[in-house]
Amino acid sequence: WIHYIWWRGILDSMTEKKKVLVSGCFDLLHCGHIDFFNKASQYGDLYVCLGTDNNIKLLKGRVPVFNESERLTMVDSLHMVAGSRLASGTGMLDFEPELEELQPDVFVVNHDGDRLSKRELCNKYNIQYIVLDRTPIAYLPSRSSSSIKNDIRTCSDYFTPNKLPYRLCLAGGWMDQPFVSKLGRGSVVVVNILPSVKFNKRSGLATSTRDIWKKLSNFNIFPEDPEELAKLLFAYENPPGSKYISGTQGNLKTVPDNFLILMIQLMHLIFLIMLILILMLFNIIMHERQC
């Protein structure tokens, strides 16, 4: 046992309070967990059995954000928790050895954790099984570990790996990406009106740049300036001696900005002319059909 206070619940026969057991991962401890513990502790002295890192990986296919020692320390520090320890079993009922030893009067879960196997286990040991509604505290937003992890992935700020915009390049449209970036952030489709074979081979979804972005995200070194960020990604993706230059090639500055802008404007003009010719041809065809 990690904490002597856990043994107190087993050895102290003088107390009239019931023993209450809850189990779970309790990763990214949040107000929803606190509310659950508070409600469960109303039924008696609360004991918490936490899943080990290995068992969580077995059940969910991934390890928790906080390791078992960190989670145990945080849960044990809560005033409503009489004792806590790591589960010694495996699988969905990893807490069974602790349940058999502690012999609680009540086992508490919320609706998300309600399982037939848990009900049957409590019936086996003649333990009261209580399912709590998962309702947030009135003045606080609803929280779950899954939603928090999703927020961390997607809503930290603009410069997170999941927020990197895609760049669909058709026929080597990467040449005007710096110009497009100056107009606004976000995903974009760029097209070269007069493609060459060389340009065709460089078309893509900027996936190599995204891979570099994700690799560097662990170091928290992204500058806020989009242009500086592009330079950083390009430099890391193309170290000295690289035979094949990939990524955000507009950062090479091989084409002067003024000339690049002029070319983009010319491309837009050509595209507009082509669009007008297509519309005129369409009108002629429709007129002939009507005649």
Side-chain angles (χ1 to χ4, degrees):
W1 296 107
I2 304 300
H3 303 285
Y4 169 77
I5 198 169
W6 177 279
W7 278 104
R8 188 185 67 185
I10 302 175
L11 301 175
D12 189 1
S13 59
M14 301 297 294
T15 179
E16 296 181 358
K17 292 191 71 175
K18 293 182 177 180
K19 290 174 290 187
V20 181
L21 180 64
V22 300
S23 69
C25 173
F26 304 115
D27 192 21
L28 294 176
L29 195 67
H30 54 77
C31 58
H33 292 143
I34 303 302
D35 186 49
F36 174 67
F37 290 151
N38 277 327
K39 291 177 180 177
S41 66
Q42 294 175 6
Y43 294 93
D45 290 331
L46 179 62
Y47 299 89
V48 182
C49 200
L50 291 93
T52 62
D53 294 345
N54 289 336
N55 196 56
I56 292 172
K57 185 177 181 180
L58 175 67
L59 295 174
K60 300 185 178 183
R62 54 172 175 75
V63 296
V65 175
F66 293 113
N67 66 44
E68 55 193 38
S69 298
E70 292 175 301
R71 290 182 287 114
L72 187 63
T73 300
M74 287 187 286
V75 169
D76 193 59
S77 68
L78 300 175
H79 70 87
M80 78 289 288
V81 176
S84 62
R85 70 156 296 174
L86 297 174
S88 58
T90 57
M92 187 64 68
L93 302 179
D94 59 340
F95 58 89
E96 183 173 1
E98 286 65 44
L99 180 141
E100 184 177 2
E101 185 174 358
L102 178 64
Q103 297 183 6
D105 301 286
V106 183
F107 185 79
V108 180
V109 299
N110 59 26
H111 279 292
D112 290 346
D114 184 17
R115 298 289 186 277
L116 177 60
S117 58
K118 295 179 181 179
R119 290 178 179 270
E120 292 176 342
L121 181 64
C122 288
N123 288 335
K124 174 183 175 181
Y125 291 98
N126 195 29
I127 298 172
Q128 184 181 4
Y129 186 83
I130 296 178
V131 181
L132 299 178
D133 290 329
R134 189 168 186 170
T135 54
I137 301 174
Y139 56 88
L140 294 176
S142 177
R143 292 292 186 190
S144 70
S145 297
S146 298
S147 65
I148 291 175
K149 290 174 184 176
N150 185 62
D151 289 343
I152 292 174
R153 295 189 190 102
T154 60
C155 301
S156 299
D157 55 52
Y158 179 78
F159 297 109
T160 58
N162 294 72
K163 299 296 287 185
L164 177 64
Y166 279 100
R167 173 172 51 87
L168 175 59
C169 302
L170 304 177
W174 50 263
M175 291 295 289
D176 58 1
Q177 180 62 18
F179 173 75
V180 175
S181 297
K182 292 179 181 178
L183 300 180
R185 300 175 177 179
S187 301
V188 64
V189 177
V190 289
V191 182
N192 193 317
I193 302 299
L194 298 175
S196 68
V197 175
K198 181 179 179 181
F199 278 13
N200 286 341
K201 293 181 178 179
R202 311 312 287 271
S203 303
L205 284 169
T207 51
S208 60
T209 302
R210 295 180 66 84
D211 291 340
I212 295 298
W213 184 302
K214 293 177 181 179
K215 185 175 182 179
L216 291 177
S217 64
N218 296 325
F219 301 100
N220 193 28
I221 57 174
F222 293 151
E224 295 185 1
D225 185 350
E227 186 171 341
E228 291 300 318
L229 173 62
K231 292 179 180 178
L232 171 66
L233 294 175
F234 177 80
Y236 192 89
E237 188 172 358
N238 299 280
S242 299
K243 295 181 179 180
Y244 175 80
I245 303 300
S246 62
T248 313
Q249 298 194 31
N251 290 306
L252 285 173
K253 298 295 182 180
T254 54
V255 182
D257 285 343
N258 292 337
F259 179 74
L260 182 61
I261 294 175
L262 179 63
M263 290 298 297
I264 297 302
Q265 292 174 342
L266 179 60
M267 290 167 57
H268 291 169
L269 178 60
I270 294 174
F271 179 78
L272 181 60
I273 294 174
M274 292 176 62
L275 181 62
I276 293 174
L277 292 175
I278 292 173
L279 291 176
M280 291 176 61
L281 180 60
F282 178 77
N283 288 331
I284 293 174
I285 294 174
M286 293 299 297
H287 179 72
E288 292 181 350
R289 287 185 176 181
Q290 293 176 357
C291 294

